[in-house]
Amino acid sequence: MDLQQLESLSRRLDPAPEARAELMRAVMAYAEAFHEGLAEAPAFKLLERPGAGLAEAPPGEEGRPVGAVLELLREQVDQPGAHGASGRHFAFIPPSTQIAGALGDFLAALTNKYAGYHFAGPGAVRMENLVLAWMAREFGFPAGTHGNLAAGGSLAHLVGICAAREAAGFKAADTGRVCVYLSDQAHHCVQKALRVAGLGEAKVRQIPTDARFRLRPDRLEAAIQADLAAGLRPWLLAPTAGTTNSGAVDPLPDCAELAQRHGLWLHTDGAYGAFFALCAEGRARLAGMEAADSLVADPHKGLFAPMGTGAVLVRHLEPLRRAHAYAADYLPAPPEDLDELSPTEVTLEFSKHARALRLWLPLQLHGIAPFRAALEEKLRLAELAWDGLQRLPDLEPVAAPQLSVMAFRFLPPAGDADAFNQQILESLQREGRVFLSGTRLRGAFCLRLAVLALRTHRAEVEEALTCLARAHEGALGA
């Protein structure tokens, strides 16, 4: 092909106004139909070969009509498995999204502003820094706190732990002597971040938890003292402000006091729970969280942002920059950037998407008050769900909600209780009306119910209780 032919073909990637409008109308109609169907759509759809049809439609040299492509998306991607937008999604930590956040993500992708370096994208960088500063104020962190909007909590943990490593000034020979303390309910991504940060040889102490699955300060103190006596170096304490398994909030004030007394970096995992601090009741339950040296919080959980939106706040800028900042000959020298910190100075990510628009747009359009109300509503709904569970026959309470996650199980009149509860869970998932998940606590298989979906209100909680009662009766009669 000559250059003119190549140009003609390549221009298909940049449609003319009429074709662009047709494409936008089709996508917006699809989005509207998706939202219109939310009330009755299953929260979970179990299929024999979910998504397998995608392999039957590989990209070809010629494109397909937009209607056919959207139908493929609907059948093979949006229907099977968990329906994250449903108010009847009570499994894991529900990943619901409000429309303004999705539109913010659309605008960020459409305009494609670079958000990594202040010189190239000053507005996008300032937007991210302003969103992070707002979070820091809400969580009680001091002015001058810095951080990053990362692609999820796991990467946010990595940023915080790298900053902690730099603050301690570790050399390679030190890693086998340093000690990390977390509860036996801590999320696995903390240990994964340690390994990726070059601290896989660190001695990780899993501190036992109390009857409510909270880290025990007395056992923590004993572990620190034992390590000191053995000539080791206590370094990092990672309590959790809302565990995934049971929803437990570790005793954060006690952890803060022990960290200060022993010179530990306090790295708090608030990925699930931190944003409950936006409402007064949640702030009271999370007292002590503001003492952290670094804090992870996931806006794609508590702020209902699109998936892949994590955040980390760090009190101390210098170790954060030492861990991540780098210079390159083709970039402008950074003096002008120091007044407005560039994200590339505080994270591994360089080709940075302007993901702050996922948060900035809804906060601008709605204000903060509806988010505070939604989070307080979830706390109250969790109490409502827990009270309703107690009225179901054969129920054994396991973990009452400290925020909005609870764990429980049913005790059958005879036979294996684990198998009985697995049967109930599988029945619920086959039915698909509500979506719950399971876990193991103290070695026993339990059912989990997490109240955090944007569209979960009283009616959805009451329906979940009805579905649970029906599944329990079905398991008894099986």
Side-chain angles (χ1 to χ4, degrees):
M1 285 188 284
D2 61 27
L3 189 59
Q4 186 175 355
Q5 289 172 313
L6 290 170
E7 179 181 337
S8 176
L9 190 56
S10 70
R11 280 185 177 276
R12 294 184 189 178
L13 301 175
D14 186 22
E18 186 177 330
R20 188 166 63 239
E22 181 184 349
L23 183 60
M24 294 284 281
R25 279 194 298 270
V27 170
M28 289 299 106
Y30 182 92
E32 188 59 28
F34 175 86
H35 275 85
E36 282 295 310
L38 280 176
E40 292 307 316
F44 184 81
K45 190 165 186 177
L46 193 63
L47 296 177
E48 218 173 282
R49 296 175 66 239
L54 291 171
E56 298 166 10
E61 287 300 311
E62 295 299 320
R64 295 183 172 87
V66 63
V69 173
L70 291 175
E71 183 61 19
L72 189 65
L73 176 68
R74 186 184 71 82
E75 289 185 358
Q76 301 298 323
V77 179
D78 291 339
Q79 284 196 0
H83 197 331
S86 173
R88 287 171 275 105
H89 188 306
F90 297 98
F92 315 122
I93 304 296
S96 53
T97 299
Q98 32 84 25
I99 185 67
L103 291 173
D105 208 21
F106 168 75
L107 290 172
L110 181 74
T111 59
N112 210 26
K113 291 298 292 186
Y114 178 50
Y117 204 69
H118 180 254
F119 178 82
V125 168
R126 286 182 187 277
M127 181 182 290
E128 175 163 331
N129 289 344
L130 285 168
V131 168
L132 289 164
W134 168 74
M135 287 183 197
R137 289 194 301 273
E138 292 288 350
F139 296 151
F141 276 64
T145 295
H146 292 277
N148 186 254
L149 288 180
S154 294
L155 288 176
H157 276 294
L158 180 60
V159 171
I161 284 171
C162 285
R165 180 197 64 202
E166 294 302 309
F170 290 146
K171 306 298 181 189
D174 296 328
T175 57
R177 293 181 57 251
V178 303
C179 302
V180 176
Y181 307 90
L182 38 74
S183 91
D184 58 24
Q185 295 296 306
H187 199 278
H188 68 272
C189 69
V190 177
Q191 294 193 56
K192 185 175 180 179
L194 287 167
R195 187 178 68 203
V196 174
L199 294 162
E201 301 301 314
K203 302 185 184 312
V204 177
R205 310 303 191 196
Q206 290 194 330
I207 307 301
T209 49
D210 62 17
R212 298 183 64 196
F213 302 98
R214 301 172 304 180
L215 180 149
R216 287 181 53 181
D218 60 330
R219 300 295 291 271
L220 171 59
E221 172 75 33
I224 294 170
Q225 294 293 356
D227 287 332
L228 287 169
L232 299 174
R233 182 175 176 180
W235 163 56
L236 184 135
L237 170 57
T240 306
T243 61
T244 302
N245 260 3
S246 64
V249 178
D250 286 334
L252 301 176
D254 291 332
C255 289
E257 190 275 327
L258 282 165
Q260 184 176 30
R261 179 146 49 90
H262 293 288
L264 307 179
W265 181 285
L266 187 61
H267 176 76
T268 300
D269 180 3
Y272 148 59
F275 282 107
F276 282 106
L278 264 65
C279 67
E281 179 60 32
R283 193 176 308 116
R285 299 185 196 187
L286 295 168
M289 189 175 73
E290 70 283 354
D293 293 293
S294 50
L295 170 70
V296 169
D298 276 358
H300 66 219
K301 296 181 174 80
L303 291 184
F304 320 114
M307 189 76 77
T309 316
V312 59
L313 298 174
V314 181
R315 283 174 178 265
H316 319 286
L317 176 59
E318 279 315 303
L320 184 62
R321 291 191 74 249
R322 281 202 306 274
H324 300 99
Y326 208 81
D329 290 340
Y330 66 90
L331 294 172
E336 74 277 9
D337 285 7
L338 293 180
D339 290 337
E340 194 71 48
L341 191 70
S342 292
T344 54
E345 295 182 73
V346 293
T347 182
L348 179 66
E349 197 174 5
F350 194 82
S351 298
K352 198 165 197 304
H353 176 62
R355 62 175 62 96
L357 252 171
R358 303 171 178 183
L359 304 173
W360 182 86
L361 186 64
L363 287 168
Q364 289 288 329
L365 291 174
H366 302 307
I368 305 167
F371 289 94
R372 298 193 200 280
L375 290 161
E376 184 174 347
E377 179 196 26
K378 306 316 172 197
L379 292 176
R380 294 191 189 182
L381 288 174
E383 293 167 359
L384 178 75
W386 187 248
D387 290 344
L389 286 169
Q390 310 314 303
R391 292 192 287 273
L392 297 181
D394 303 328
L395 187 121
E396 179 186 31
V398 178
Q402 296 173 43
L403 292 170
S404 69
V405 171
M406 62 208 74
F408 55 93
R409 58 198 248 120
F410 292 93
L411 298 178
D416 185 342
D418 282 4
F420 186 72
N421 284 276
Q422 286 271 17
Q423 183 181 348
I424 290 172
L425 184 61
E426 289 167 8
S427 171
L428 289 170
Q429 292 177 351
R430 281 194 303 272
E431 182 186 53
R433 184 65 187 170
V434 299
F435 184 38
L436 274 68
S437 54
T439 191
R440 284 197 170 271
L441 290 166
R442 305 278 193 256
F445 181 79
C446 302
L447 302 175
R448 278 179 73 262
L449 191 151
V451 181
L452 195 57
L454 173 65
R455 297 173 183 87
T456 296
H457 305 293
R458 184 175 191 134
E460 285 72 26
V461 168
E462 290 173 346
E463 185 168 3
L465 294 171
T466 299
C467 290
L468 266 168
R470 185 166 61 243
H472 171 245
E473 289 174 11
L476 286 174

